[in-house]
Amino acid sequence: MVDITRRGVIAGASSLAALQAAGAFAQGVQLPSSPVALNIIDVAGNLQLTQVSLERFAKENPKLVSRLNFSRAPSPELPAKIKAQQQANRVDIDLVLTGPGAMSDGIQQGLWIDVWKSHADKLPKAEAVYHEQALMMQRNFGQNEGVAVAYSPSGPLFEYAPERLKKVPKNAQEFLDYVKQNPKRFTYARPVNSGPGWTFLQGMPYILGDTDPSDPMKGWDKTWAYLKELGSGVDYYPAGTAATMKELGEGTRDVIVSTLGWDINPRVLGIVPKEAQTFVIDNTHWIPDTQFMCIPKGVPNDKVAVLLALMSFMLTPEAQAATYDKGYFYPGPAVKNVPLSMASQESRDVLKEYGRPHYDELITKLPTKPPLTPERLVAAFRRWDQEIGVGHNAPQ
C-alpha cells in the first residue's frame, strides 16, 4: 500500500523489554561495540504505523542505535534493487518494511535472512505473542523470513459516494452489471502495489465460487473471466491506492475498491469525504493484510543483532498500540491483548469519529482465509499484469 500520511502517538513504551531482548547475545550474532546507523526502507506505508515506535527504540537505546535513516520506494522496484546490491556485495538497506508484494518476491528470490529459523532465540515465540489471525499469516505467509508487525482483516470492500451511487449492488453479477452500464465510474489499483487491489484479486475466487481459490493458475477460471469482463468498463488501473482515493474524492469515480483502513484513514485526512460509505457483496471472505519486517541477506552481523532487538521491541504491546494510528491499517495490532484503550488519545478520538461500528461485527461474522502463498501470489500478480492490466494505461 502507498503511504499518504503518518502519525499516531504511542503511549509511553518502556525500553526495558527492548533491553531484555537485546541482551544475552553471547551466541550467534554479536551486538556492536559502538552504536550503528540503521537504514530502513518502507514499501508499504508501514512507517505510518511504526515510525513512532522505531524512533522510540532508538532514543531509549543510544548504545545500540546512533541514527535511523528512513526512505520510501514503490514495492515492485525493491527486490531487484536489493538483489543488485547483494550481487555487488554492497547491501546498504538494513531493514525492509513491506507488505505482501515485495516480501513474496524476496522469499522467492532468497533475498531475506530466515530470522525465525537462524535466530529464533533472539525473538519471542510466535505462538506466545501473536493473536490467532496474525499467527496464521505469520506461519502461512511470513514463513521464516518475515516478522509480522501489523495486521488487518483488510478486505475486499467497495467504497462509494452515496450521492452518486443510489442502488448498492448486492452480489458479483449486480456489480458487474453496474460497471458495464456505467463505464469509467469504477476502478481499482494495480494489485502488486495496492492493499485494496491485492485483497480484491484474492477475494474474488471465494465470492465467485471458483474451483480452487488457492491456485490462481488452475483454479481461478471464473475469476479471470470476471475480471476481464469487468475491465470492459474500466478505462485504466492506477499504479497505487492513493490515486483511487483522490479520484473518488474529486468525483472522477463513484466506486472504488477499498479496505477497512483505506476507508477510514483517507476520510480522516479529508482526501475522501467523510460521508463516503462502504459495502460488501455476497460470499465475501476476508483476505487479511499483514505487514512485515525483513532483513536482507548481506547486512553485517552487528547490525543484525540490533535489528533482532528492534524486532522484539516492535512486538511488545506498548509498541503495537501505535499501529491503531488513524485507522490506516484497522485495527492494526498483530499481537495479543492490545485493546484500543492502550492507543493514544488521538487514535481513540479519530476512531470514535471516523470508524464504523459495524466493522467489528463484520470482522467476527465474515470468514477469514489466508492469502496465497508467496510463490502463487507472485504468479497471480504476473498473470493480472499480463491479462487484465495490459492495455489499460494511465491517462496522459
Side-chain angles (χ1 to χ4, degrees), residues 77-378:
E77 298 175 6
L78 184 70
K81 180 177 182 178
I82 291 178
K83 187 172 184 179
Q85 290 184 0
Q86 290 171 337
Q87 289 174 338
N89 199 27
R90 297 184 63 180
V91 176
D92 63 11
I93 296 171
D94 302 316
L95 182 69
V96 175
L97 305 175
T98 176
M103 196 190 71
S104 298
D105 262 349
I107 288 177
Q108 260 203 323
Q109 297 180 46
L111 303 183
W112 316 124
I113 293 174
D114 56 350
V115 292
W116 289 104
K117 183 177 180 181
S118 298
H119 305 291
D121 57 327
K122 310 300 189 298
L123 296 170
K125 291 187 180 300
E127 60 272 16
V129 294
Y130 289 125
H131 58 66
E132 182 181 354
Q133 294 84 1
L135 183 61
M136 173 191 73
M137 292 293 289
Q138 178 61 61
R139 287 176 170 167
N140 293 339
F141 203 83
Q143 301 184 23
N144 289 320
E145 291 86 349
V147 175
V149 70
Y151 172 86
S152 173
S154 201
L157 288 175
F158 297 94
E159 189 164 357
Y160 69 101
E163 72 277 11
R164 300 196 295 273
L165 178 66
K166 300 297 184 180
K167 184 180 180 182
V168 174
K170 296 180 180 179
N171 55 51
Q173 185 59 53
E174 288 185 9
F175 185 73
L176 177 61
D177 293 342
Y178 162 78
V179 172
K180 294 173 69 174
Q181 292 164 12
N182 299 271
K184 301 183 181 181
R185 304 309 300 173
F186 163 77
T187 194
Y188 61 98
R190 183 187 177 206
V192 73
N193 198 41
S194 167
W198 181 78
T199 55
F200 175 62
L201 177 64
Q202 294 178 84
M204 287 311 300
Y206 293 100
I207 290 170
L208 296 170
D210 250 321
T211 56
D212 187 356
S214 70
D215 188 347
M217 304 309 288
K218 298 180 181 178
W220 285 21
D221 289 350
K222 293 179 180 178
T223 294
W224 294 120
Y226 184 92
L227 293 176
K228 287 177 184 177
E229 193 169 358
L230 192 71
S232 66
V234 175
D235 53 343
Y236 89 107
Y237 300 102
T241 313
T244 67
M245 295 290 159
K246 185 170 183 273
E247 291 185 3
L248 179 65
E250 293 174 343
T252 309
R253 309 291 172 183
D254 298 340
V255 187
I256 59 173
V257 170
S258 190
T259 60
L260 297 173
W262 273 101
D263 162 44
I264 296 172
N265 192 248
R267 290 189 296 116
V268 174
L269 302 175
I271 297 169
V272 173
K274 186 178 180 180
E275 296 73 24
Q277 297 294 325
T278 61
F279 66 89
V280 296
I281 57 179
D282 292 349
N283 299 323
T284 292
H285 291 55
W286 293 121
I287 305 297
D289 199 355
T290 303
Q291 297 194 351
F292 297 86
M293 302 176 286
C294 298
I295 305 175
K297 292 178 180 177
V299 173
N301 280 343
D302 57 350
K303 284 193 174 186
V304 172
V306 174
L307 289 166
L308 292 168
L310 172 59
M311 287 174 161
S312 295
F313 171 76
M314 294 301 292
L315 299 184
T316 62
E318 293 82 6
Q320 285 281 300
T323 63
Y324 279 105
D325 186 58
K326 295 185 178 75
Y328 175 63
F329 210 68
Y330 186 82
V335 308
K336 304 174 185 176
N337 303 321
V338 187
L340 180 59
S341 60
M342 290 186 66
S344 68
Q345 186 63 51
E346 182 185 20
S347 291
R348 298 199 301 271
D349 291 345
V350 162
L351 291 173
K352 182 178 180 180
E353 182 174 358
Y354 291 91
R356 302 191 192 273
H358 70 278
Y359 279 171
D360 292 337
E361 179 183 348
L362 284 176
I363 290 172
T364 302
K365 176 183 175 183
L366 298 179
T368 300
K369 295 293 183 180
L372 299 174
T373 61
E375 296 79 7
R376 289 184 173 185
L377 183 59
V378 170

